Amino acid sequence: MSDQYSLLILPGDGIGPEVMAEVVKVIGWFETHRGMKFDVSHDLVGGAAYDAHGAPLSDATMARAQSVDAVMLGAVGGPKYDVLDFSVKPERGLLRLRKEMDLFANLRPAQCFDALADFSSLKREVVAGLDILIVRELTSGVYFGEPRGIHSDDNNPENEGGRVGINTQRYTSGEIRRVARSAFELARRRTNKVCSMEKANVMESGILWREEVQWVHDNEYPDVELTHMYADNGAMQLVRRPQQFDVIVTDNLFGDILSDAAAMLTGSLGMLPSASLGAKMANGRPKAMYEPVHGSAPDIAGQGKANPIACILSFAMALRYSFDEGDAAAELERAVEHVLADGIRTADLMGPEGGTPVTTAQMGDYIIKALSQES
Ligand code: IPM
Ligand code: MG
């Protein structure tokens, strides 16, 4: 393929730069051995951008993100930035990217690698072979709804403290329908099952969610099996019998929470990739950003302890969803599986049965070695 793939790398804060360095190595391998051409540029996001520009994402970086085929993001945040005003906190940089690129469908696959089944907090038989996909709505809901803010409540003498905090859960039917379509499309390529989660028992936005997902199903995807579940029951079912699910589609806030729970089922948060996709661009590729589900882990940053696999698997998702290089994505995923089966372990994956302890960089090297051996 003679296509050139443009990629903007935003390593961010904490362990972000360390895990992203391993992705850069993997990109180099695919350029050398698979003839792919990447036009890679680097920029700042989160606390790193705040330190440089006084904002967690500069307008120039935002413009660059809009112009590339895909963005790779490491992680944002750290205790140093906790004192900052809400409007310039590192997380705002990430949320701005999601919102302005209109990345409405966030794909968070939770797959349990056989070699790690004993790491899960659940029993091996409950999680072995687990392969579910959470599709989280990413550009609306309570994360962005207006009105929002902290106001004084002076006229209410019964309110001790005199303040009120407000956020708004707001969804339009169009926002629900487009993410539902993404979920149904993805389900057709898997085992054709979607479970939609909301709180229709207490929230009007939940009733609308349920009705609109059902509408898309009945009118456009009647071949896909659709069930609905209250999100609290969904959380319970995820830890009780996760294998009952294939694709879960849910709103921004429930998706944030449920995906952390699903991640832990697989043994380590250090393993989970994600893709955030928007509408198709002129070149036919979707607007896209790829990032590990884990955070910036400031407690272990800079020590070579971080697990780069979630970030490397996020690049595999970029190969699949942005560049249509599904074979290369599968090749990279197999290399990761191979290394795990060989007992290569960063600290988060080190269990009672031992293994070969490795640093972040060594894990990257082992994965590249496995890629080279397979080919
Ligand atoms: C996530 C994170 C973010 C979120 C934070 C860092 C803003 O938890 O991607 O799941 O809440 O969406
Ligand atoms: Mg989260």
Side-chain angles (χ1 to χ4, degrees), residues 76 91 94-95 98 108 136 138 143 252 256 259-260 291 293:
V76 295
E91 291 78 5
L94 175 59
L95 295 174
R98 291 173 177 175
R108 299 191 160 186
R136 165 187 176 192
L138 203 60
Y143 272 63
N252 205 344
D256 179 44
S259 63
D260 264 27
E291 53 177 311
V293 171

Side-chain angles (χ1 to χ4, degrees), residues 11 16-26 311:
E18 290 162 73
V19 295
M20 199 58 86
E22 302 314 303
V23 171
V24 170
K25 286 188 201 165
V26 170
C311 204

Side-chain angles (χ1 to χ4, degrees), residues 29 335 338-339 363-375:
W29 188 90
H338 186 114
V339 164
M363 179 60 98
D365 293 340
Y366 271 105
I367 290 169
I368 282 174
K369 204 165 127 208
L371 277 169
S372 299
Q373 276 167 2
E374 273 190 37
S375 50

Side-chain angles (χ1 to χ4, degrees), residues 86-150:
F86 187 74
S87 63
V88 290
K89 278 202 193 301
E91 291 78 5
R92 303 310 304 171
L94 175 59
L95 295 174
R96 181 176 177 197
L97 282 162
R98 291 173 177 175
K99 186 70 179 175
E100 292 192 20
M101 293 172 75
D102 203 17
L103 305 171
F104 60 86
N106 179 220
L107 282 47
R108 299 191 160 186
Q111 239 174 312
C112 185
F113 287 86
D114 200 53
L116 299 183
D118 293 318
F119 281 83
S120 172
S121 41
L122 301 190
K123 298 189 195 81
R124 169 177 269 276
E125 59 268 28
V126 178
V127 294
L130 182 74
D131 181 6
I132 61 181
L133 175 63
I134 297 188
V135 180
R136 165 187 176 192
E137 198 291 324
L138 203 60
T139 51
S140 185
V142 79
Y143 272 63
F144 298 99
E146 301 279 347
R148 65 185 298 160
I150 300 175

